Amino acid sequence: MILILGGTGEARQLAETLTAREVRVVSSLAGRVARPRLPAGEVRVGGFGGPEGLARYLRENRIEAVVDATHPFAERIGANAAKAAELAETPLLRLARPGWRPGPGDVWHWADDLADAARRLPELGERVFLTSGRQGLPAFAHLDDLWFLIRCVDPPEPPLPRHHDLLLARGPYEVAAERALLGRVDVLVTKDSGGAQTSAKLTAARELGKPVLVVRRPPRPVTETAETVPEAVEWVLHR
């Protein structure tokens, strides 16, 4: 049996492809989204109890290999997966979509983390399209002089920026709609999530000449890595 960690689009594609090839798969979701898109095969929701708990799960369920297909910013589970795989002596693959890279016409500024983004933001504009996820909103809550258009999948919990509008939506998004939203703001804030599902906002920002504040990906443990689902499928089939 193969354990796939994460509810990303790549994780779902991998589960669907492997299940179609009659590979037994169990996908583990963190449970942070109220109505997640469920992948093919078996599904479990919730944590494991740290790396030791995950290692115990791997041994008890005779997991033959683990694919960490979590979000690029899911630091904790990435570290736990690497440690657990080492403890249980289970092969581990990191399925990581490539990050975004600026092209001609892009006006990008880079931040090391959300706190750094909050420090840099007042220099870039007073009206902000914030698309960095609901869990990171407290990093911007003290910026009382700015107005935020906040987009996330589920309703966020406080603290939130004092001046804001909330938009609940799930990707993929279209360039025309993103262009209309960006017309209301001075600057876009996003994490370097990569992939095509949410990249329309970057195209719209380029067309409008709007600056983009991009939060760099956090470091992840060094492990064998694939950038695409077909590469991950081949890795699993050769285990």
Side-chain angles (χ1 to χ4, degrees), residues 72-124:
F73 285 79
E75 297 176 73
R76 181 177 299 177
I77 186 60
N80 288 352
K83 182 62 176 177
E86 179 183 354
L87 291 173
E89 298 182 346
T90 303
L92 170 67
L93 177 74
R94 169 72 180 143
L95 174 54
R97 69 180 83 118
W100 291 317
R101 291 294 177 263
D106 285 320
V107 185
W108 285 19
H109 305 263
W110 292 89
D112 293 330
D113 51 32
L114 290 175
D116 187 34
R119 286 191 294 269
R120 296 170 180 265
L121 197 48
E123 302 174 0
L124 299 175

Side-chain angles (χ1 to χ4, degrees), residues 156-185:
E157 298 181 357
L160 303 176
R162 176 178 299 179
H163 307 293
H164 73 270
D165 282 350
L166 182 61
L167 174 62
L168 299 181
R170 187 197 301 263
Y173 306 103
E174 296 182 355
V175 173
E178 298 292 74
R179 191 186 303 115
L181 292 174
L182 281 162
R184 302 170 56 188
V185 302

Side-chain angles (χ1 to χ4, degrees), residues 115-183:
D116 187 34
R119 286 191 294 269
R120 296 170 180 265
L121 197 48
E123 302 174 0
L124 299 175
E126 297 180 351
R127 297 177 64 83
V128 183
F129 186 18
L130 189 55
T131 66
S132 54
R134 64 187 176 95
Q135 293 184 333
L137 293 178
F140 303 91
H142 64 287
L143 298 175
D144 293 340
D145 294 334
L146 307 185
W147 177 86
F148 292 83
L149 174 61
I150 299 171
R151 181 169 69 193
C152 46
V153 175
D154 293 320
E157 298 181 357
L160 303 176
R162 176 178 299 179
H163 307 293
H164 73 270
D165 282 350
L166 182 61
L167 174 62
L168 299 181
R170 187 197 301 263
Y173 306 103
E174 296 182 355
V175 173
E178 298 292 74
R179 191 186 303 115
L181 292 174
L182 281 162

